[in-house]
Amino acid sequence: VSRILNNKMPMPISAATIERVRQAARDMNYSPNVAARALVTRRSKTIGLFSSEMTDPHFAQMLESVDETCRGLGYHLAVSSGMRSIAEPGRVDGLLLLASPDREELQALSVGLPTIYVWHTNEPVTNCIGWSDFDGAYKAGQYLSDLGHRNVAILYGHCDDERPAPQKLAGFLKVMEKVGGSVSNCWSRAASSLLEDQFETGYELTRRLLNEDGKVTAIFARNDLLALGALKAIRERGLSVPGDISVISYNDTIHARCSEPTLTSVRTPIAQAGALAAQQLIQTVESGDRVFPGIVLPTTIIERDSCRSI
Amino acid sequence: VSRILNNKMPMPISAATIERVRQAARDMNYSPNVAARALVTRRSKTIGLFSSEMTDPHFAQMLESVDETCRGLGYHLAVSSGMRSIAEPGRVDGLLLLASPDREELQALSVGLPTIYVWHTNEPVTNCIGWSDFDGAYKAGQYLSDLGHRNVAILYGHCDDERPAPQKLAGFLKVMEKVGGSVSNCWSRAASSLLEDQFETGYELTRRLLNEDGKVTAIFARNDLLALGALKAIRERGLSVPGDISVISYNDTIHARCSEPTLTSVRTPIAQAGALAAQQLIQTVESGDRVFPGIVLPTTIIERDSCRSI
DNA sequence: TTGTATGCGTTATCAT
DNA sequence: ATGATAACGCATACAA
């Protein structure tokens, strides 16, 4: 029965019995028990997806593409924001971590399991697939500089859980240094109320910026929500985007398409990264070799209405 | 060993061996194999979460609360947009369906498994937990009517996959009928390009509305994205919100907080529903009885800046 | 108080 | 071409 239903018959079987078994299976609505199969096969045919930001639209895009890829390849998805539980023996065949490959707590919990990280990296990193935030931010800076902006601000929000280095900051500064622009940094560490809500943070920090610095002609926001907050602060100030101040943001989530004005934003290939990561992980699981050189996907600027030349 | 590690010892065991076993387990970093346990226990301690709209912020909120609840109760989460695969024997102990309890394809696939639906219902429905869209829309209508609006439009987008009845439409119409208001319906069935993007749909339908009907003073949008589209169309027309036209939306996703102006929106208790559903499902799984009368949670209007009295 | 045996539903190996 | 049987790793009922 097992041989027939799995279409793996090393020895020949009569067509008659094949049909007989298949029919019986259909009659009783039979479907193999996955726990039993997993036990003997040592494969659960499910992969674990970990992320601590389940509510982020960025994660949603990845979830969707990973789900699709897995289903297409006959795999299932276990999602959790808690690593310890998801990595128990027998539960998953591999791990997809929306997290930095540097996080040692995660490495410790994923020993023995094929693991692929989806995160930003400047250079290819083993078992990590992603994109370069340095490069993305560099492109954003280049874009603003090409439009003639020299007095710019970077709206970074809080920066304590970004590791290793704030690449977006570095990439942006690199351009501005090259072209001789001056950069104001907007970030906060203290006010805990600000940290919780990106939109509010963007609003508040931009308000302060506009009070203190009258020369800024462009703002680079670390993500779309911060940019929306900036938009609001600028508007309240009686200034216009892009008339008085240009705004470029990052991630190109749905927010960038639905705002007023629409946001020029650096698109991160998160969905593609998720799909590729799932593919690669499953291939790794099935083939056995665990050395995956890593991939850095390109970021692209999506031009909309929030930037103008000076 | 099993008895000790699971803290279930019907017969007494010497403290010495208990410690000996625990220590050995620690030494070898032992963790029970979940597949083997599931096989003998007939419980996988994981529940399946199904939704076809993985990318919806509404779903994200639910995912987060369900994940949290499950983890707290020692359960795991299998997420999929494909029902057939998730309901295989041995994979999950129960099903959480973000879908209408009326969908027969889903019922067919969930036979034998404890199942709870999370969906809108006007009245309590067995094994379904949710909120009343009729009531939510009624509140929205009441809110506009209290502000004096009588010439209103309902921005519904497309309506083909809403079943059984478009309750939001019905609830809103009920109020307007009561107060003698006149209602324009804005929906589309034809243009397939419109159907794909809620924001674009809202924009386009509102544009048409403003061309055809100059008397409308308020718009009720079926969701936040449609409302954002309406905002854009109104703005382009040279009108202001709420100065010339009031807009009230539905779902109260993050979009409602970040728009200009911020949107007054009907909040749907999706996170709470998810948490309660997960709790109830797990209790059902563990107790065995499968009759759950159903719950209808209240909706609430979150007042912001997009509505004004006439 | 401790040890042993049986079975969960598969797959895979070895006899017939 | 078919059938029988041993694991897989655990929980549990029962024997010692």
Side-chain angles (χ1 to χ4, degrees):
Chain A
V1 171
S2 174
R3 290 185 301 237
I4 292 174
L5 260 34
N6 292 342
N7 281 329
K8 281 298 177 191
M9 344 189 198
M11 332 169 183
I13 304 186
S14 84
T17 32
I18 289 185
E19 191 43 45
R20 202 155 47 93
V21 167
R22 291 228 167 100
Q23 186 56 48
R26 241 170 284 140
D27 287 349
M28 66 199 325
N29 212 309
Y30 172 84
S31 190
N33 181 299
V34 298
R37 172 179 291 176
L39 181 58
V40 59
T41 298
R42 301 177 154 293
R43 299 248 114 101
S44 61
K45 296 214 92 176
T46 102
I47 74 173
L49 173 58
F50 166 86
S51 165
S52 40
E53 308 266 359
M54 298 244 195
T55 212
D56 189 343
H58 221 218
F59 170 70
Q61 289 179 50
M62 165 145 174
L63 175 59
E64 186 177 44
S65 73
V66 168
D67 169 65
E68 227 166 279
T69 305
C70 286
R71 280 228 320 290
L73 296 173
Y75 274 70
H76 300 259
L77 205 50
V79 175
S80 177
S81 59
M83 261 293 284
R84 45 192 161 290
S85 64
I86 212 176
E88 294 171 306
R91 187 173 301 286
V92 298
D93 297 338
L95 250 22
L96 228 47
L97 271 35
L98 188 52
S100 166
D102 296 326
R103 290 177 59 179
E104 295 176 2
E105 348 91 72
L106 298 185
Q107 288 175 21
L109 289 168
S110 62
V111 285
L113 278 176
T115 303
I116 290 191
Y117 294 82
V118 174
W119 201 245
H120 66 92
T121 41
N122 298 347
E123 303 297 332
V125 163
T126 305
N127 292 330
C128 179
I129 175 167
W131 61 93
S132 166
D133 272 352
F134 183 95
D135 177 63
Y138 191 93
K139 281 176 179 159
Q142 190 69 58
Y143 186 83
L144 290 182
S145 125
D146 286 351
L147 291 176
H149 294 281
R150 288 298 179 275
N151 291 294
V152 298
I154 176 161
L155 182 53
Y156 205 83
H158 56 101
C159 62
D160 33 62
D161 65 352
E162 177 98 352
R163 65 196 92 182
Q167 294 298 330
K168 292 181 194 172
L169 186 56
F172 191 77
L173 289 177
K174 178 81 170 251
V175 187
M176 286 305 155
E177 188 179 325
K178 192 182 70 178
V179 302
S182 102
V183 179
S184 304
N185 292 321
C186 303
W187 57 27
S188 68
R189 293 174 200 266
S192 65
S193 70
L194 287 185
L195 300 185
E196 298 175 10
D197 185 321
Q198 305 263 32
F199 175 72
E200 278 296 327
T201 304
Y203 170 73
E204 189 58 33
L205 291 179
T206 303
R207 247 166 53 94
R208 293 186 199 167
L209 170 73
L210 296 179
N211 279 334
E212 296 165 4
D213 183 341
K215 311 194 308 300
V216 163
T217 65
I219 294 177
F220 168 50
R222 209 190 81 202
N223 63 46
D224 294 322
L225 246 26
L226 287 166
L228 288 189
L231 251 32
K232 177 175 181 174
I234 296 170
R235 195 186 303 115
E236 276 193 9
R237 186 83 181 187
L239 301 173
S240 97
V241 175
D244 300 302
I245 296 184
S246 290
V247 173
I248 187 169
S249 75
Y250 209 98
N251 278 356
D252 188 42
T253 60
I254 190 170
H255 299 290
R257 281 175 30 229
C258 303
S259 61
E260 162 61 20
T262 55
L263 288 167
T264 292
S265 189
V266 177
R267 176 177 293 173
T268 257
I270 181 81
Q272 193 195 350
L276 285 176
Q279 270 178 241
Q280 178 61 45
L281 179 59
I282 289 173
Q283 190 191 314
T284 299
V285 164
E286 302 198 327
S287 73
D289 46 80
R290 299 194 186 174
V291 277
F292 165 60
I295 300 180
V296 179
L297 266 16
T299 57
T300 50
I301 288 192
I302 306 298
E303 291 193 70
R304 296 206 183 79
D305 303 328
S306 61
C307 293
R308 175 179 299 178
S309 78
I310 206 164
Chain B
V1 170
S2 174
R3 290 185 300 237
I4 291 174
L5 260 35
N6 293 341
N7 281 329
K8 281 299 177 189
M9 342 189 198
M11 329 164 184
I13 302 185
S14 82
T17 30
I18 290 185
E19 193 42 47
R20 199 155 48 93
V21 168
R22 290 226 168 102
Q23 185 55 48
R26 242 171 282 141
D27 287 348
M28 67 198 327
N29 212 310
Y30 171 84
S31 189
N33 180 298
V34 299
R37 172 179 288 177
L39 182 58
V40 57
T41 297
R42 302 176 151 296
R43 299 249 116 100
S44 61
K45 296 214 92 178
T46 104
I47 74 173
L49 174 58
F50 165 87
S51 165
S52 39
E53 308 268 358
M54 298 241 191
T55 212
D56 188 342
H58 220 218
F59 170 71
Q61 290 179 49
M62 166 145 174
L63 175 59
E64 186 178 43
S65 73
V66 168
D67 168 66
E68 225 166 281
T69 306
C70 285
R71 280 228 319 291
L73 296 173
Y75 274 71
H76 301 259
L77 206 49
V79 176
S80 176
S81 60
M83 259 294 283
R84 46 194 160 289
S85 63
I86 213 178
E88 290 170 329
R91 187 172 300 285
V92 298
D93 297 339
L95 250 22
L96 228 46
L97 270 35
L98 189 52
S100 165
D102 296 326
R103 290 177 59 178
E104 295 176 3
E105 348 92 70
L106 298 185
Q107 287 174 24
L109 288 168
S110 62
V111 284
L113 279 176
T115 303
I116 290 190
Y117 295 82
V118 174
W119 202 245
H120 66 93
T121 40
N122 299 347
E123 303 297 331
V125 163
T126 305
N127 292 331
C128 179
I129 175 168
W131 60 93
S132 166
D133 272 351
F134 183 95
D135 177 63
Y138 191 93
K139 281 177 179 157
Q142 190 70 58
Y143 186 83
L144 291 181
S145 124
D146 286 350
L147 291 175
H149 295 280
R150 289 297 179 274
N151 291 293
V152 298
I154 177 161
L155 182 53
Y156 206 83
H158 55 100
C159 62
D160 33 62
D161 66 351
E162 176 99 351
R163 66 197 91 184
Q167 294 299 331
K168 292 182 194 171
L169 185 57
F172 192 77
L173 289 177
K174 178 81 169 252
V175 187
M176 287 305 155
E177 190 179 324
K178 192 182 71 176
V179 302
S182 102
V183 178
S184 304
N185 291 323
C186 303
W187 56 27
S188 68
R189 295 175 200 265
S192 65
S193 69
L194 286 184
L195 300 186
E196 296 175 12
D197 186 322
Q198 304 263 32
F199 176 71
E200 278 295 327
T201 304
Y203 170 72
E204 189 58 33
L205 291 179
T206 303
R207 247 166 51 93
R208 292 186 199 167
L209 170 73
L210 296 179
N211 279 335
E212 296 164 4
D213 182 341
K215 309 193 311 296
V216 164
T217 64
I219 294 176
F220 168 50
R222 208 191 81 202
N223 63 47
D224 293 323
L225 245 27
L226 286 166
L228 289 188
L231 251 32
K232 177 175 181 176
I234 296 169
R235 195 186 302 116
E236 278 193 8
R237 185 85 181 186
L239 300 174
S240 96
V241 175
D244 300 304
I245 295 183
S246 290
V247 173
I248 187 169
S249 75
Y250 209 97
N251 278 356
D252 188 41
T253 60
I254 190 170
H255 299 291
R257 282 176 29 228
C258 304
S259 61
E260 164 59 22
T262 56
L263 289 168
T264 293
S265 190
V266 177
R267 175 176 293 172
T268 258
I270 182 81
Q272 193 194 351
L276 285 176
Q279 269 177 242
Q280 177 61 46
L281 179 59
I282 289 172
Q283 189 190 316
T284 298
V285 164
E286 303 199 324
S287 73
D289 47 80
R290 299 195 184 173
V291 279
F292 166 59
I295 301 180
V296 179
L297 265 17
T299 57
T300 51
I301 288 192
I302 306 298
E303 292 194 70
R304 296 204 184 81
D305 304 328
S306 61
C307 293
R308 176 180 298 177
S309 77
I310 204 163

